[in-house]
Amino acid sequence: MHVDLHLRPDLERKRLDAVCTTRVEAIADGVSSMVLDAVDLEIASVRDEQGNELDFATREHRLRIRFAHQLARGEGYVFSVAYAVERPRRGLYFIAPETAYPDRPLQAWTQSQDTDASHWYPCVDYPGERFTFSTSIVVPKGLFAYSNGRLLSRTDEGELTVFRYELDRPLSSYLTTMVVGAFVEHHDSHGAVPVSWYVEPSRAGDGERSFGKTPKMMAVFERRIGVPYPFPLYGQIAVHGFTFGGMENSSATTQTDRTLHDERAHADFSSAPLVAHELAHHWFGDLLTCRDWSQAWLNESFATFFEAVFREADLGWDEYLYDVYGMVKSYLREDSERYRRPIVCNLYREPIDLFDRHLYEKGGTVLHMLRGELGEEPFWRSINRYVSDNQWQSVETLDLVRAVERATGRNVRWFVDQWIERGGHPELSISYAYDDDQHLLKLRVKQKQTIDAERPPYRFTLEVGVVQERPAALARDHGVAPLAGEQRLRLQVDEGEHLFAIPVSGEPAFVRIDPGSFVLKTLDLEAPPETLAAILRADPDPISRIRAAKRLAKDGSRSAMVALRAGLLEDPFWGVQAEIAEALGETRSPLALESLIAATGIRHPKARRAVASALGNWRAARAADALLPLAQEDASYYVMAAALEALGKTRDGRAFELLVRQIQYPSWADVVAGGAVRGLAESADERAVTPILDCIAYGKPEPLRRAALHAAGRAASLLERQRTRILDALEAMADDARQFLVQLACIGALESIGDSRALPVLARLEAGEDPRVRRPAAEATIKIREASRTPPELARLRDDFDVLKEENRRLRERIEELAQR
């Protein structure tokens, strides 16, 4: 099948006049008609190749076309649909300046995933249907038009310019695109493949900063996958107001202009994850396309995993592993706070409902786990076989299983059943002890999650390393190789509880549990503080060090605090430093406060940001003293933002005026202003409500509006007397869909307030037309109703228990101090 579009977008009227010409071939005898998806399209006529009118009918977003005669098997047929669409609800978006946003550019762009292509042209809007594609786009002279494939011609016709594109590789409808606007071009290459990016004229420098690593990414992915980039060229275009981060339109990715950033932001913000994700889709999503949306993990999980793959090639193993750790945390948060589901799931109201943290982060983590299960070389050989065997085809999970078996001889059906088609994960408790009499290390592994006939124990390989002598120095980017003299074992876990007896030559310095963090799990490691401190000092695996730090913080002893302080100041990887800072903050102990104050000058901005955030756990003048300089000025926007929010949490009397003033601080994406409004909310000062609500007004920068909505939700939770005022403001704007991400932020704020008075407006949104809004509105409704069923007495008991825990921790620390004298 081939689809050719002749498009005439009118950016002023927000209208598209077009002709869609489709060439089909009958796969059976007697074909007399065809049904296309066509949502809200004004169909003017349907004609065959000779110009004869064909009968057609529209019903329930479908266009049925009756052919002039019945087609024989293999017979080709061409028909053209003339149509128009004005102010479409989805699929095609028109951006224009207005009174509230006079500097907004004039643009039009499409976003077709998952089933929105049929909002701007008639098509079979289903991922399993592929076709070749060409476009002619007619725009006023001076504007640029962009679409899939090669630019064949750019022809001026009076005051108009016609751009002609063609892609001779098959694609699905959700991967088609059109963009119109004023852009500057930058051209590069990866070997013989042209690589380009397009940004607004004022953002040329930011384009290089955001997209400059694209050729390197292509080289990394080709090397890892073993299959060349599959399209004749690759381009990226940054548009204003894009609904998501990016969209992997075949050969012509659309990116949000929110990823374009200045040099100062570049110190701790990177476009690389987004750029790598969309590029990886050109193998996983474009070259191989999921058969249907239930199999979308074969698109999204792979692209998420390959973000980390490029991070490894670009920044090292520790960065890769910390990225995987972030995936795990993101998935666990959704699993524990919202819902649990299998990654492959056939139960959904709209395809967009599947695009969650299970599909992206859990799936990416499962691929990391498969890497560990198979081993490095067999894993990449399997990926190559999977891609090589299924090029330009629709795929399902079974195709991956078959590829692994062909590449390695291993049947991983059990792996898919357990990790892809079953929800959840193992919750492990691991402890070990050395038996000096028998020279045995006794290691106990227990799965604590519910185990019954329907939920059997998880089966996995747990790698363990026994280290007899602590290495002299902590190595960066060590990878998963054993340390010198380390005894490495692969233990098979398939029961609720195991006790492994491992012969050793003597008492170990420490034991490495799951080097590489391949097993998706929660882990409670039961070990004494001195063992945890040894892991924190010497285990080259950053996730093992993070686990040890979290456990030491829970221990809370003076020796634990000393070990954490050393790790915070000396660990060679910023990710570990950041996690230690967070753990110290959660203890709220005096020793932890001293350690964090000592670390406010830590070099890496991401670690320094975590230190600033952690200081917000104390309502103490000393914490505020440490935060004030960071909140006023720092080389990093993000450190300033974190310090401002934390300063608000301290409730220090000096905070309010600074927080209000810093709303005006100029920063990329209003990062600093966002921190200031969040700090105002945390201050629990009733004076903060007015500036917060001022920042949610239409006309304020979109990133600031979103931050202010988050702040408004928090302020309403802390300031009961202001709750009605804030609720009224949020409810008044909840139906405003002019800025999609702002509307989502508004729904999130209503959820965080948890007030049942918001239920009517959420019900209205849940019943609306936009599936992207319906799902979060439904989830917010569920959360509010669940919260309303929690008895106030239980909530008070939880608060009292937290107070007792804090008092107990302080008492233990005081006793230790006295014992030291």
Side-chain angles (χ1 to χ4, degrees):
M1 183 163 70
H2 181 82
V3 174
D4 177 78
L5 298 179
H6 189 274
L7 307 169
R8 298 178 67 96
D10 187 329
L11 277 63
E12 300 290 345
R13 297 174 60 196
K14 299 183 178 181
R15 176 183 172 90
L16 175 68
D17 290 278
V19 176
C20 175
T21 300
T22 304
R23 183 179 70 244
V24 296
E25 183 178 299
I27 59 174
D29 289 327
V31 176
S32 60
S33 64
M34 185 172 185
V35 177
L36 301 175
D37 298 293
V39 181
D40 298 337
L41 303 183
E42 304 168 14
I43 309 299
S45 66
V46 181
R47 300 178 183 273
D48 64 16
E49 196 169 14
Q50 288 72 42
N52 301 311
E53 290 198 8
L54 300 177
D55 291 335
F56 68 91
T58 57
R59 183 181 179 185
E60 296 180 347
H61 305 318
R62 300 286 190 274
L63 169 64
R64 177 179 289 275
I65 300 169
R66 183 170 297 280
F67 300 148
H69 63 274
Q70 290 189 352
L71 305 183
R73 181 174 178 272
E75 182 180 355
Y77 197 78
V78 177
F79 58 89
S80 297
V81 180
Y83 67 97
V85 58
E86 191 162 329
R87 299 180 181 273
R89 289 179 292 170
R90 297 204 309 275
L92 172 59
Y93 300 85
F94 291 93
I95 309 297
E98 57 175 298
T99 302
Y101 295 97
D103 296 328
R104 183 185 286 164
L106 186 67
Q107 294 178 357
W109 46 262
T110 61
Q111 166 57 13
S112 299
Q113 193 181 43
D114 40 55
T115 55
D116 286 358
S118 52
H119 286 255
W120 63 284
Y121 71 97
C123 58
V124 180
D125 210 355
Y126 183 75
E129 186 66 46
R130 288 170 171 264
F131 48 88
T132 52
F133 189 61
S134 55
T135 52
S136 297
I137 309 171
V138 184
V139 297
K141 188 181 293 185
L143 294 184
F144 177 73
Y146 193 54
S147 190
N148 308 85
R150 296 184 184 278
L151 177 61
L152 301 182
S153 62
R154 182 189 310 204
T155 307
D156 289 335
E157 297 181 357
E159 295 303 312
L160 302 174
T161 303
V162 181
F163 292 79
R164 176 69 179 169
Y165 289 89
E166 184 174 76
L167 183 64
D168 60 359
R169 317 289 166 86
L171 77 169
S172 300
S173 58
Y174 80 94
L175 297 169
T176 56
T177 184
M178 177 196 72
V179 177
V180 175
F183 297 94
V184 293
E185 309 172 31
H186 178 93
H187 300 289
D188 202 336
S189 65
H190 165 62
V193 179
V195 177
S196 306
W197 53 85
Y198 307 83
V199 298
E200 292 175 44
S202 62
R203 308 297 299 275
D206 297 342
E208 171 67 27
R209 195 174 293 113
S210 294
F211 306 132
K213 288 187 177 181
T214 304
K216 181 179 179 180
M217 293 176 186
M218 298 175 81
V220 169
F221 292 166
E222 286 185 343
R223 184 171 66 251
R224 281 303 200 182
I225 300 167
V227 174
Y229 172 75
F231 293 91
L233 74 168
Y234 186 59
Q236 298 168 90
I237 189 164
V239 302
H240 185 82
F242 196 58
T243 47
F244 300 108
M247 182 62 218
E248 65 275 14
N249 309 306
S250 297
S251 78
T253 290
T254 304
Q255 304 280 25
T256 173
D257 66 355
R258 294 186 300 275
T259 199
L260 301 173
H261 56 281
D262 62 29
E263 188 173 357
R264 185 172 172 185
H266 197 59
D268 49 358
F269 176 86
S270 173
S271 298
L274 173 64
V275 175
H277 185 101
E278 306 308 331
L279 176 63
H281 269 310
H282 281 72
W283 285 267
F284 305 101
D286 296 19
L287 180 62
L288 283 65
T289 305
C290 61
R291 184 195 64 189
D292 57 50
W293 293 117
S294 72
Q295 300 287 325
W297 86 282
L298 296 170
N299 294 11
E300 298 301 344
S301 300
F302 275 77
T304 303
F305 173 69
F306 271 84
E307 290 179 42
V309 169
F310 177 71
R311 197 175 192 89
E312 177 186 359
D314 190 40
L315 300 174
W317 174 262
D318 288 359
E319 291 273 2
Y320 163 82
L321 207 56
Y322 192 58
D323 197 54
V324 173
Y325 178 71
M327 294 183 210
V328 173
K329 289 203 299 184
S330 182
Y331 151 67
L332 289 175
R333 188 160 49 247
E334 182 172 85
D335 179 80
S336 62
E337 297 178 5
R338 305 196 82 82
Y339 56 83
R340 171 174 290 178
R341 71 170 181 87
I343 292 175
V344 172
C345 181
N346 290 306
L347 299 175
Y348 55 89
R349 185 165 66 174
E350 301 281 352
I352 193 67
D353 295 346
L354 296 173
F355 288 72
D356 58 8
R357 307 285 67 83
H358 285 68
L359 189 71
Y360 287 77
E361 283 86 351
K362 183 182 182 182
T365 303
V366 168
L367 288 169
H368 170 68
M369 185 161 36
L370 185 62
R371 185 180 187 179
E373 177 66 30
L374 296 177
E376 188 71 0
E377 195 277 334
F379 172 78
W380 290 112
R381 191 166 69 244
S382 299
I383 296 298
N384 171 260
R385 188 65 185 264
Y386 169 59
V387 176
S388 298
D389 287 357
N390 295 284
Q391 295 183 67
W392 309 114
Q393 296 179 35
S394 298
V395 289
E396 56 184 334
T397 305
L398 186 58
D399 294 309
L400 177 62
V401 173
R402 288 169 176 158
V404 173
E405 185 170 0
R406 289 169 186 154
T408 69
R410 293 187 57 177
N411 185 345
V412 292
R413 179 73 252 187
W414 67 271
F415 183 94
V416 167
D417 289 344
Q418 178 172 271
W419 298 109
I420 302 298
E421 297 178 353
R422 170 185 172 184
H425 54 271
E427 300 170 12
L428 301 185
S429 173
I430 296 179
S431 61
Y432 57 85
Y434 174 63
D435 186 328
D436 192 31
D437 293 333
Q438 302 182 66
H439 295 289
L440 291 176
L441 179 71
K442 295 182 177 179
L443 185 139
R444 187 178 300 275
V445 180
K446 184 176 182 180
Q447 300 192 40
K448 299 189 297 180
Q449 76 279 2
T450 301
I451 295 176
D452 53 30
E454 294 183 354
R455 290 163 291 189
Y458 282 87
R459 168 189 170 189
F460 55 89
T461 300
L462 181 68
E463 200 159 24
V464 172
V466 182
V467 181
Q468 295 294 341
E469 294 186 13
R470 183 165 68 90
L474 187 58
R476 268 295 307 264
D477 298 318
H478 178 80
V480 297
L483 293 167
E486 177 184 338
Q487 179 185 353
R488 186 67 66 87
L489 303 97
R490 288 173 66 86
L491 307 177
Q492 299 304 313
V493 178
D494 55 12
E495 297 179 3
E497 186 168 357
H498 288 272
L499 179 61
F500 298 99
I502 304 168
V504 292
S505 59
E507 184 172 4
F510 61 93
V511 177
R512 304 183 67 193
I513 303 295
D514 189 22
S517 296
F518 287 110
V519 180
L520 172 58
K521 62 188 178 298
T522 60
L523 174 59
D524 182 10
L525 178 61
E526 299 176 15
E530 56 270 21
T531 299
L532 295 168
I535 294 171
L536 183 58
R537 286 194 305 268
D539 194 325
D541 186 300
I543 311 308
S544 294
R545 302 204 299 279
I546 289 169
R547 285 198 299 257
K550 301 286 188 184
R551 188 71 182 185
L552 282 167
K554 288 182 180 179
D555 177 80
S557 65
R558 186 178 185 85
S559 61
M561 292 294 107
V562 170
L564 287 170
R565 180 187 177 106
L568 175 62
L569 296 174
E570 299 170 8
D571 197 281
F573 179 48
W574 71 266
V576 176
Q577 292 178 306
E579 297 291 336
I580 293 174
E582 180 182 356
L584 284 168
E586 290 171 356
T587 71
R588 295 183 173 87
S589 77
L591 286 175
L593 176 58
E594 295 302 321
S595 297
L596 289 165
I597 290 173
T600 53
I602 208 164
R603 186 178 63 84
H604 200 291
K606 293 181 182 178
R608 197 163 66 252
R609 183 199 319 178
V611 169
S613 294
L615 284 167
N617 286 285
W618 284 268
R619 293 180 188 171
R622 292 209 66 221
D625 289 343
L627 286 166
L628 280 165
L630 298 177
Q632 293 178 71
E633 191 67 44
D634 189 88
S636 164
Y637 296 137
Y638 285 92
V639 171
M640 292 181 66
L644 287 162
E645 183 174 358
L647 184 63
K649 290 180 179 180
T650 68
R651 312 283 169 84
D652 189 277
R654 296 166 289 177
F656 183 79
E657 290 185 4
L658 176 62
L659 292 169
V660 172
R661 186 166 69 248
Q662 292 296 71
I663 292 175
Q664 305 303 321
Y665 190 98
S667 62
W668 169 74
D670 285 285
V671 168
V672 174
V677 294
R678 289 191 296 271
L680 283 169
E682 294 292 349
S683 72
D685 188 325
E686 292 194 346
R687 294 176 297 168
V689 175
T690 295
I692 290 172
L693 294 183
D694 286 346
C695 290
I696 71 173
Y698 192 72
K700 296 291 185 179
E702 181 185 332
L704 179 58
R705 296 187 75 202
R706 289 188 277 125
L709 282 163
H710 172 88
R714 179 64 174 156
S717 300
L718 294 173
L719 300 168
E720 189 170 352
R721 291 197 307 174
Q722 296 291 327
R723 187 169 302 161
T724 298
R725 177 187 174 191
I726 294 171
L727 270 174
D728 289 345
L730 299 189
E731 289 178 1
M733 63 181 294
D735 292 299
D736 188 346
R738 287 176 292 182
Q739 292 179 336
F740 169 66
L741 295 179
V742 171
Q743 188 176 32
L744 292 189
C746 185
I747 294 170
L750 291 171
E751 178 185 325
S752 69
I753 296 170
D755 194 304
S756 60
R757 288 176 290 177
L759 292 175
V761 69
L762 291 171
R764 189 165 66 247
L765 293 172
E766 187 180 354
E769 296 178 339
D770 192 341
R772 303 168 305 170
V773 172
R774 287 200 297 260
R775 172 65 177 270
E779 288 189 24
T781 298
I782 292 170
K783 282 289 185 180
I784 292 172
R785 286 176 174 161
E786 286 177 349
S788 67
R789 290 195 292 268
T790 302
E793 296 81 6
L794 179 58
R796 282 195 293 270
L797 279 173
R798 288 173 178 165
D799 291 341
D800 291 343
F801 180 66
D802 288 340
V803 170
L804 286 172
K805 281 174 61 180
E806 176 66 19
E807 290 177 350
N808 181 57
R809 180 184 291 110
R810 291 176 183 271
L811 181 60
R812 280 173 40 190
E813 192 171 272
R814 179 61 178 157
I815 290 171
E816 285 191 5
E817 287 177 358
L818 291 172
Q820 296 288 326
R821 295 178 180 177

